């Protein structure tokens, strides 16, 4: 799928292996629909897992963020507006792009897989995407991601390559 018209930014969420299964007690998403907890389904999903749950080492979160940021900005040429790396999930907000969102998620995941070189799966299948169509939505998603960083004692924008929203055309400044 190509870029959706009028998209100003996109927030991606990727979870680590086994940390958010279908049927999860927190709710879960299938084809864009939020579904309620289903303990039997979650138990069946857990039984199918071929490996244990994977979480990132807290001491490697900055390294992992650097891997993703570099892949997004230097390799794909995207505008990175926000990024947080938690032990079990990653949120990032990128500016509008014509690159397929599935390719963006794939590259983010591969950058970490390559950097860490684990001998097992580290990511869950798929990802969640949220399109932002106006300035309020862009700023809200960015702030959501930044609060995750602040909650673990980091600055709102702790990674290199993050563009301040005030410098982003169409939101912080008029398009060129």
């Amino acid at each position: 799928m190509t870029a959706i018209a009028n998209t100003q930014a996109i927030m991606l969420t990727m979870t680590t292996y086994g940390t958010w299964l279908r049927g999860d007690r927190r709710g879960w998403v299938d084809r864009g629909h939020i579904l309620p907890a289903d303990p039997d389904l979650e138990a069946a999903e857990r039984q199918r897992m071929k490996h244990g749950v994977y979480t990132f080492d807290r001491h490697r979160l900055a390294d992992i963020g650097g891997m993703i940021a570099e892949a997004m900005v230097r390799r794909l040429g995207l505008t990175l507006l926000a990024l947080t790396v938690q032990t079990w999930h990653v949120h990032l907000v990128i500016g509008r792009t014509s690159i397929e969102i599935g390719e963006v998620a794939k590259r983010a995941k591969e950058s970490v897989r390559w950097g860490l070189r684990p001998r097992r799966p580290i990511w869950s299948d798929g990802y969640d995407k949220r399109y932002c169509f106006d300035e309020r939505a862009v700023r809200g998603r960015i702030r959501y991601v930044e609060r995750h960083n602040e909650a673990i004692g980091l600055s709102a924008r702790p990674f290199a390559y993050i563009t301040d929203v005030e410098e982003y055309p169409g939101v912080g400044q008029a398009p060129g």
Side-chain angles (χ1 to χ4, degrees):
M1 171 173 40
T2 57
I4 293 179
N6 302 320
T7 299
Q8 297 298 307
I10 305 110
M11 182 176 93
L12 292 170
T13 301
M14 301 169 293
T15 57
T16 59
Y17 184 85
T19 59
W20 202 303
L21 302 172
R22 293 185 321 142
D24 192 283
R25 64 179 158 55
R26 298 166 286 190
W28 53 290
V29 177
D30 185 25
R31 296 184 179 112
H33 299 286
I34 299 172
L35 300 170
D38 182 337
D40 293 334
L41 177 59
E42 183 179 12
E45 291 289 295
R46 194 159 310 285
Q47 286 286 29
R48 281 194 280 278
M49 289 175 54
K50 294 180 177 150
H51 302 274
V53 170
Y54 187 90
T55 56
F56 297 128
D57 181 325
R58 289 190 180 280
H59 298 100
R60 298 293 313 268
L61 299 182
D63 295 336
I64 293 163
M67 293 169 200
I68 293 171
E70 185 168 332
M72 298 297 96
V73 176
R74 295 195 65 208
R75 294 192 186 119
L76 292 179
L78 300 174
T79 301
L80 182 61
L81 297 167
L83 172 63
T84 189
V85 179
Q86 306 288 306
T87 57
W88 64 274
H89 71 290
V90 169
H91 294 298
L92 62 137
V93 180
I94 59 169
R96 66 185 72 77
T97 181
S98 60
I99 299 171
E100 302 260 349
I101 298 308
E103 184 65 20
V104 172
K106 177 182 170 190
R107 294 285 191 95
K109 288 179 175 185
E110 284 177 350
S111 70
V112 177
R113 193 176 307 116
W114 173 257
L116 297 179
R117 291 183 177 86
R119 294 186 172 166
R120 53 151 302 159
I122 63 172
W123 294 106
S124 60
D125 290 339
Y127 56 92
D128 184 58
K129 60 187 175 295
R130 303 295 165 130
Y131 292 96
C132 304
F133 298 105
D134 58 39
E135 181 176 347
R136 181 172 175 227
V138 173
R139 289 181 184 276
R141 297 289 183 193
I142 290 170
R143 192 66 199 121
Y144 175 80
V145 173
E146 290 176 344
R147 280 195 304 268
H148 277 71
N149 288 327
E150 293 166 344
I152 60 172
L154 300 175
S155 68
R157 293 188 306 259
F159 304 106
Y161 304 114
I162 295 176
T163 298
D164 188 312
V165 69
E166 300 306 325
E167 298 172 10
Y168 181 58
V171 176
Q173 62 179 219

